[in-house]
Amino acid sequence: METIIPAGYRVTVDSWENDADAQRTIVKEGLDRDMAKFFVEFARLFYSQNNYRGPKGYGNMYEPSQEELKDAHAAAKKVILDNWGAFQQMWDDVTQEELDDDDCIWDLTAELHHELFGGSEYHFRVLEKVKVEYLPVEIRLNDVTGEF
């Protein structure tokens, strides 16, 4: 069995929910620079809303108010529009006009959040850290476990 890590940018998102439990790491590989930038900017929206030492975000919402959700979706919409070309790599059937529809931006925010953070009991998981690496060439790893 061979594992292939594709060339390109690699974005690693470490997250948690509620009181720093249910930690998770999601890795996206083989990205172009624009997609990596888009993922990083979107992930950074979800620093904890209770962060006392660093940037505040929309992470850790359990029962958010309509105003909190409206703010989170407006911030997500801005990131999407600022990175429209990368966004279109994933959703080429969505128009900029559709982003004005509350249901559309709600669904897209949830899908993107799930793509980078995975599922959650809470409305939005919390970004612990995001790391970007660049692999100039594809890496192939051979599973040699059977030799031991």
Side-chain angles (χ1 to χ4, degrees):
M1 179 93 179
E2 184 177 62
T3 300
I4 298 172
I5 303 173
Y9 289 89
R10 174 182 163 129
V11 174
T12 303
V13 174
D14 292 328
S15 67
W16 50 270
E17 59 183 42
N18 189 19
D19 55 359
D21 62 355
Q23 295 184 7
R24 180 177 297 136
T25 299
I26 302 280
V27 179
K28 297 295 182 184
E29 299 170 325
L31 306 172
D32 64 26
R33 184 177 180 83
D34 290 339
M35 186 62 79
K37 177 181 173 284
F38 174 45
F39 281 165
V40 168
E41 288 181 14
F42 188 84
R44 286 181 175 159
L45 293 175
F46 298 98
Y47 284 112
S48 177
Q49 66 179 357
N50 306 317
N51 198 348
Y52 301 107
R53 292 176 281 162
K56 288 188 183 287
Y58 301 102
N60 213 26
M61 289 186 181
Y62 182 59
E63 294 179 348
S65 69
Q66 287 300 316
E67 190 63 32
E68 288 173 317
L69 287 175
K70 183 178 174 185
D71 289 349
H73 294 142
K77 179 180 175 181
K78 180 179 182 340
V79 170
I80 289 169
L81 290 172
D82 288 350
N83 295 280
W84 186 251
F87 173 80
Q88 286 281 278
Q89 291 179 42
M90 295 178 71
W91 285 283
D92 63 352
D93 60 335
V94 176
T95 66
Q96 290 186 12
E97 292 76 26
E98 287 177 285
L99 297 180
D100 291 330
D101 180 310
D102 289 341
D103 289 334
C104 180
I105 197 65
W106 172 279
D107 291 344
L108 291 171
T109 301
E111 285 183 49
L112 277 165
H113 185 272
H114 191 273
E115 182 79 17
L116 292 177
F117 292 86
S120 177
E121 286 181 38
Y122 289 74
H123 200 77
F124 296 124
R125 291 181 64 84
V126 177
L127 174 66
E128 178 66 26
K129 70 178 180 180
V130 60
K131 180 167 100 174
V132 181
E133 299 163 304
Y134 180 71
L135 293 134
V137 296
E138 176 181 275
I139 297 173
R140 294 177 176 266
L141 303 170
N142 293 317
D143 181 352
V144 296
T145 307
E147 298 175 14
F148 294 90

